[in-house]
Amino acid sequence: MKVDFSKPYDPNKVEKNIYKKWEKSGYFNPDKLPGKRPKSFTVMMAPPNITGHIHVGHALENILSDIVIRKRRMQGYKALFLPGKDHAGIAAQYVVERELRKENKTRFDLGKEKFLEKMWQWMKENGDAIDQELKLLGLSCDWTRGRFTMDDEYQEAVKAAFEHYYKKGWIYQGKRIINWCSRCQTSISDLEVEHVEEKGSLWFIKYPLEAGGFITVATTRPETMLGDAAVAVHPSDPRYKNLVGEKARLPIKDRTIPIIADKEIDQKFGTGAVKITPLHDPLDFEIALRHKLLSYEVINQQGRMTKEAGSICMGLKTLECRKKVVEALREAGLLEKEEEYIHRIGRCERCQTIIEPLVSLQWFLSMRELAKKTRQVVRGEKITFIPPQRKKIFLEWLRQVKDWNISRQLWWGHRLPVWKHDPVCIPKRGREKDIEKCIDMVVSKTEPACKHCDARYKQIPDVLDTWFSSALWPFATLEWPQKTKDLKTFYPTDMISSAREIFFLWIVRMVFSGLEFTKKSPFKTSYTHATVLDQKGRKMSKSLGNVVDPIVMIEKYGTDALRFGLTWQTMGTQDIHWSEEALVAGKKFLNKMWNAARFVLERNESPPEALLALRSLGEAGARGDYFKKPHPKTKEDRKILESLKKTKKEVTRHIDHYQFGHALHKLYDFFWHDFCDQYLESSKKQLGDPALKTRTQEILVLVLTDCLRLLHPFLPHITENIWEAVRASSKDLLMVESWPK
RNA sequence: GAGCCUAUAGCUCAACGGUAGAGCGCUCGCUUCACACGCGAGAGGUCGAUGGUUCGAAUCCAUCUGGGCUCACCA
């Protein structure tokens, strides 16, 4: 017996060595698995952002995937768990910019080239650290297939996807109102704007009417009045019906603006009259289009007032300008009142800067056709959602989705494969008429050449929304658009495990991308795991100091105990209120297993494998007859064998239904109470009876080894370690042994 | 404004139509030959509130009240 059963069980002594053995075996790579494996089973890891360390959510997410993968591997599948990392455009860029700020520098001080060098350096250092942390979780990932969303091959996939959409006419450039972050200096999508409830004011401003009297408008942003183009009321509002078509004087700017009627105006809000600022509010932008209003840009991309705002306000930040405007209105007697008002302010998800709705030239992906097709497929039960309510949420979001702003003015990310003739085409002598044929903007994977002149095309500086590339993850990781063997073997994938917060950002977009590019749903099951909150149900955050670091937990209890604790708490609820006690329970359970195994093995003079004729997978194991079934001789024998049979069935069923906590609870109860408390105790008597001794040994070994198999996906290290003692001569690891039937 | 989740022992959670269970913690006893990270015994719950369906409800329905989440252009 090579395994040292010194007591009590110490995970630090075994876990790292076990992981090395698995890595050395090559079995993480599905191509190297023993036996004939006609069927594949694939899980793509949700690639962690390179922004920092893994948190407890990553731990939960990947441990659950690993449970599924390990079970399937044991069931004889060609099991692939593909790991990776996401370049995380805006998030990663922000983190590195924050580092720069410590040296009082901005990315602009460094320049694009130097800054990108820094990003790659960050990626290298952090990316490796993340892999190491994931390995500490005991994940059975195929590291040889690890991917990064900015790998060369991946860049090709992104370009191909862009080109495909462009050719279909679904990608277009347009001047539209978008969310602008003045700190990040980029547009961001609606999903990246965080709406936070904050205390503000509602100002009631009197706009003098040309015909005499006033019309009062209510606004939370008085500074935008400098860019007002109209006052709008509801067409059937009796208070204002006779004013529609009249003119008002815009205070301060002293400009004449029309009073218009639009059905979008809510009569019940404020005074029922709304100031329209076409370029700085999404609804106003639409109304202005409908009514063909003039537009005035008063806020720029730096979040400061423009020349158009007037000489007193020019250059001021919006909030400074707000004070000035309110003051001026008060002096002029045009401020009717100021009410306290709680409203939701949009802030940049990354840097918390207030988002400015601005009109800007951006690239968009039309969602119409994609959404339509995807909804059809998903409605047709092609994807299983766990928990099932997710399906409705999926469909509802797609029902109302708007076109996706896919361009970002960041530096870190996939450049749009769009090339602009720069400088403009100046045809060689005698070919002046060619200027009409020259295409100013070209979408191409490589640099195009102009047929008419010597000038070159330059790639536009914009990069893609990071989720554009993430959306391709399930197949781009397998070298799509190349028709590789891997793509054929491992795609579509079987299950994806992800956090709730990226359901729309990622899950939905993977589905429509998969359907568009591969004609298949990228996964069969979308599992949305619980969010891990602190014990009071609050989100974990550095400022609250309630963050649980999985690596610290591993140092304290070991990986298996962490896996136990997290799985133990996964009971199908929306949130997990973190309890470290579950890890304590895990640690105790591991020790219990350790000691039960020692008992069973010490009571056997002959090697346990001889008792059960253990065979490795690929031989008899693949057929499920890896042991000879001992027949019960006593009522205790019968009871434990029946209970074991039931447990196997239920555990398998629970895992297949993604009921991870239930599966583990079942195993815990069986092992501790049925096996240890009852059978192990009665075996002590039976072992003393020569007529029962051998049979009792057989049953002890059978139950122990079946438990090791069943528990392996959950607690891979300790089970593998005990397995070493069970199989004295056979070579194979427990991770490729067969799953009990 | 719309939708969703949740309320059970001190804490974290099971049970989902038929006399309330686990883990952790707590009390008492036990170093009994696998395990004191253990064994044995025990305390601890009007199953958020109200009303309804039912022979029977923590479990189904309605309303309410706490927690929490998501979506939406409310100025």
Side-chain angles (χ1 to χ4, degrees):
Chain A
M1 205 184 300
K2 295 164 292 182
V3 178
D4 171 23
F5 274 110
S6 63
K7 60 182 177 177
Y9 175 63
D10 180 2
N12 291 322
K13 280 188 186 156
V14 310
E15 288 182 345
K16 284 206 176 72
N17 287 333
I18 293 289
Y19 199 87
K20 275 184 205 141
K21 278 181 193 171
W22 290 330
E23 281 198 295
K24 208 178 146 203
S25 76
Y27 293 154
F28 289 167
N29 181 344
D31 298 330
K32 305 237 168 107
L33 285 167
K36 280 198 184 113
R37 291 168 185 257
K39 284 189 285 184
S40 69
F41 192 93
T42 312
V43 176
M44 297 294 177
M45 176 186 290
N49 289 350
I50 54 161
T51 44
H53 297 270
I54 63 160
H55 57 250
V56 71
H58 290 120
L60 175 67
E61 177 169 290
N62 290 304
I63 285 166
L64 299 181
S65 291
D66 197 48
I67 290 169
V68 172
I69 277 287
R70 282 184 184 272
K71 169 175 157 287
R72 294 287 177 167
R73 190 181 291 117
M74 293 174 78
Q75 284 179 313
Y77 287 80
K78 221 167 150 60
L80 172 63
F81 187 6
L82 188 146
K85 287 171 294 279
D86 198 301
H87 70 282
I90 188 170
Q93 178 167 323
Y94 177 62
V95 170
V96 173
E97 282 188 74
R98 209 172 46 194
E99 294 292 308
L100 280 179
R101 205 163 47 198
K102 288 177 190 163
E103 305 161 30
N104 261 321
K105 282 184 191 159
T106 69
R107 63 165 145 139
F108 301 101
D109 295 334
L110 239 72
K112 192 164 174 176
E113 203 176 317
K114 279 257 166 64
F115 181 78
L116 285 178
E117 268 173 37
K118 234 183 161 58
M119 288 301 312
W120 277 102
Q121 191 190 329
W122 171 276
M123 146 62 196
K124 210 172 149 23
E125 287 163 15
N126 256 70
D128 289 349
I130 288 168
D131 284 352
Q132 288 315 308
E133 290 174 349
L134 292 170
K135 286 180 184 181
L136 280 178
L137 297 172
L139 306 181
S140 57
C141 299
D142 182 1
W143 300 104
T144 66
R145 281 183 168 90
R147 294 287 183 270
F148 177 52
T149 51
M150 296 250 284
D151 286 342
D152 290 345
E153 298 83 355
Y154 207 105
Q155 302 232 20
E156 290 308 309
V158 170
K159 284 183 211 164
F162 188 97
E163 202 175 32
H164 171 101
Y165 283 138
Y166 186 78
K167 278 185 182 156
K168 279 202 145 177
W170 293 352
I171 282 181
Y172 63 92
Q173 199 183 19
K175 243 189 172 180
R176 287 228 191 151
I177 197 151
I178 45 87
N179 309 296
W180 183 266
C181 176
S182 59
R183 198 226 59 92
C184 298
Q185 284 297 301
T186 182
S187 65
I188 60 175
S189 77
D190 294 345
L191 287 170
E192 292 165 311
V193 181
E194 242 174 29
H195 292 275
V196 195
E197 230 175 48
E198 287 175 33
K199 241 190 222 169
S201 292
L202 193 58
W203 285 273
F204 291 76
I205 306 170
K206 294 198 279 190
Y207 284 12
L209 295 165
E210 285 212 324
F214 299 96
I215 184 165
T216 304
V217 298
T219 182
T220 55
R221 302 196 58 193
E223 72 278 12
T224 60
M225 69 164 286
L226 301 170
D228 278 3
V231 171
V233 298
H234 194 274
S236 58
D237 192 327
R239 292 170 293 182
Y240 303 115
K241 233 172 182 169
N242 56 341
L243 289 182
V244 175
E246 296 292 315
K247 299 256 190 287
R249 289 301 286 178
L250 181 64
I252 302 176
K253 291 297 289 181
D254 206 30
R255 183 165 69 213
T256 303
I257 54 173
I259 296 171
I260 58 167
D262 195 284
K263 59 188 186 328
E264 285 295 313
I265 304 302
D266 180 0
Q267 298 184 47
K268 278 171 275 172
F269 186 88
T271 60
V274 186
K275 56 188 275 318
I276 301 298
T277 318
L279 298 187
H280 302 289
D281 180 275
L283 178 61
D284 292 4
F285 184 72
E286 275 176 38
I287 291 176
L289 280 181
R290 274 203 286 276
H291 297 269
K292 299 194 172 60
L293 298 174
L294 296 169
S295 51
Y296 309 90
E297 190 179 65
V298 292
I299 301 168
N300 67 18
Q301 295 191 335
Q302 275 67 43
R304 290 180 184 271
M305 305 310 291
T306 63
K307 193 175 165 193
E308 178 73 48
S311 51
I312 331 157
C313 293
M314 187 175 118
L316 291 181
K317 287 185 179 169
T318 52
L319 293 183
E320 293 165 352
C321 178
R322 181 176 299 175
K323 277 184 201 153
K324 265 230 152 78
V325 166
V326 170
E327 210 176 289
L329 289 170
R330 191 173 282 133
E331 272 170 24
L334 294 173
L335 188 67
E336 196 175 291
K337 59 176 172 174
E338 178 183 340
E339 280 179 3
E340 221 177 61
Y341 184 65
I342 292 169
H343 61 145
R344 273 158 226 91
I345 292 187
R347 287 181 181 274
C348 174
E349 178 189 49
R350 294 301 156 190
C351 70
Q352 302 302 313
T353 302
I354 292 177
I355 290 303
E356 203 60 61
L358 288 184
V359 172
S360 151
L361 188 63
Q362 299 285 345
W363 294 81
F364 296 87
L365 174 59
S366 166
M367 288 305 299
R368 222 189 117 120
E369 290 300 314
L370 286 169
K372 193 176 145 195
K373 189 159 137 210
T374 305
R375 295 184 76 229
Q376 270 171 11
V377 171
V378 170
R379 253 194 250 113
E381 310 288 332
K382 286 290 194 303
I383 301 178
T384 305
F385 289 92
I386 311 284
Q389 306 90 273
R390 284 279 126 195
K391 180 172 167 175
K392 204 177 137 193
I393 297 169
F394 183 109
L395 291 169
E396 183 53 27
W397 188 78
L398 271 184
R399 196 183 60 76
Q400 53 82 42
V401 73
K402 291 186 294 184
D403 286 355
W404 177 12
N405 172 202
I406 53 172
S407 54
R408 298 287 180 273
Q409 290 64 53
L410 300 164
W411 290 352
W412 178 239
H414 294 272
R415 294 272 290 275
L416 272 72
V418 178
W419 303 78
K420 218 171 148 37
H421 207 312
D422 185 24
V424 288
C425 188
I426 303 165
K428 290 170 194 165
R429 195 195 287 270
R431 305 177 63 179
E432 282 80 5
K433 63 178 185 225
D434 284 344
I435 196 156
E436 284 160 34
K437 292 184 206 152
C438 179
I439 307 161
D440 185 47
M441 184 121 55
V442 179
V443 168
S444 167
K445 285 178 202 156
T446 52
E447 185 186 334
C450 181
K451 288 175 195 149
H452 318 299
C453 73
D454 295 328
R456 299 181 67 173
Y457 279 91
K458 283 184 187 154
Q459 193 169 8
I460 63 167
D462 288 11
V463 299
L464 286 160
D465 179 1
T466 197
W467 297 102
F468 187 91
S469 53
S470 316
L472 314 175
W473 184 250
F475 42 95
T477 48
L478 300 171
E479 263 67 63
W480 178 90
Q482 295 175 62
K483 289 181 179 130
T484 59
K485 194 172 153 237
D486 268 13
L487 189 64
K488 205 178 157 201
T489 309
F490 299 109
Y491 188 86
T493 72
D494 291 274
M495 171 230 193
I496 193 108
S497 169
S498 70
R500 239 191 352 259
E501 63 176 5
I502 58 170
F503 191 70
F504 303 126
L505 288 163
W506 195 45
I507 296 292
V508 176
R509 286 167 175 167
M510 274 192 288
V511 176
F512 70 64
S513 305
L515 290 172
E516 181 60 26
F517 295 116
T518 69
K519 313 286 173 226
K520 284 172 191 162
S521 167
F523 35 76
K524 297 188 186 87
T525 300
S526 159
Y527 177 84
T528 306
H529 66 252
T531 306
V532 185
L533 305 173
D534 76 0
Q535 224 172 65
K536 290 177 186 158
R538 300 172 305 180
K539 244 185 162 169
M540 290 186 179
S541 75
K542 277 181 195 148
S543 52
L544 282 171
N546 59 355
V547 176
V548 173
D549 183 344
I551 306 304
V552 171
M553 290 299 125
I554 288 170
E555 281 163 10
K556 202 165 163 191
Y557 299 100
T559 298
D560 283 345
L562 173 71
R563 292 174 67 115
F564 181 101
L566 281 170
T567 311
W568 186 257
Q569 295 179 72
T570 301
M571 299 303 291
T573 47
Q574 173 182 259
D575 301 318
I576 286 174
H577 291 199
W578 171 259
S579 97
E580 200 170 313
E581 290 80 56
L583 275 70
V584 174
K587 188 177 161 239
K588 291 182 176 183
F589 183 64
L590 297 176
N591 193 51
K592 190 73 174 172
M593 285 170 67
W594 193 245
N595 284 297
R598 171 163 57 184
F599 174 85
V600 172
L601 295 167
E602 278 175 0
R603 299 304 166 106
N604 281 295
E605 302 82 1
S606 49
E609 61 181 4
L611 285 168
L612 295 175
L614 288 165
R615 292 202 188 93
S616 61
L617 191 73
E619 298 168 40
R623 299 195 304 272
D625 55 345
Y626 48 87
F627 60 82
K628 73 176 186 216
K629 280 187 180 127
H631 290 286
K633 281 191 171 172
T634 65
K635 92 171 177 286
E636 285 77 17
D637 291 351
R638 204 168 297 117
K639 205 174 153 196
I640 192 68
L641 289 175
E642 265 167 29
S643 181
L644 173 67
K645 197 175 157 192
K646 210 176 138 204
T647 301
K648 287 188 221 175
K649 222 174 137 185
E650 283 182 25
V651 168
T652 305
R653 203 190 72 223
H654 282 319
I655 300 176
D656 286 342
H657 289 87
Y658 306 93
Q659 302 269 25
F660 301 106
H662 288 89
L664 185 59
H665 278 81
K666 190 81 217 158
L667 277 166
Y668 180 97
D669 284 344
F670 173 75
F671 192 87
W672 201 302
H673 301 116
D674 294 356
F675 185 46
C676 294
D677 289 351
Q678 290 179 39
Y679 192 72
L680 226 124
E681 289 308 320
S682 33
S683 79
K684 288 173 184 172
K685 268 185 223 154
Q686 295 193 13
L687 288 166
D689 182 343
L692 296 174
K693 187 177 170 187
T694 309
R695 183 53 44 86
T696 304
Q697 286 175 335
E698 285 172 355
I699 292 173
L700 282 170
V701 173
L702 169 67
V703 178
L704 175 69
T705 52
D706 269 5
C707 280
L708 290 175
R709 294 168 200 270
L710 291 166
L711 283 161
H712 182 258
F714 302 89
L715 313 171
H717 304 86
I718 189 173
T719 48
E720 188 73 76
N721 194 226
I722 296 172
W723 193 259
E724 280 181 29
V726 174
R727 53 140 180 89
S729 62
S730 105
K731 297 175 296 204
D732 263 336
L733 295 165
L734 175 56
M735 73 173 282
V736 291
E737 282 294 338
S738 60
W739 183 252
K741 282 183 195 166

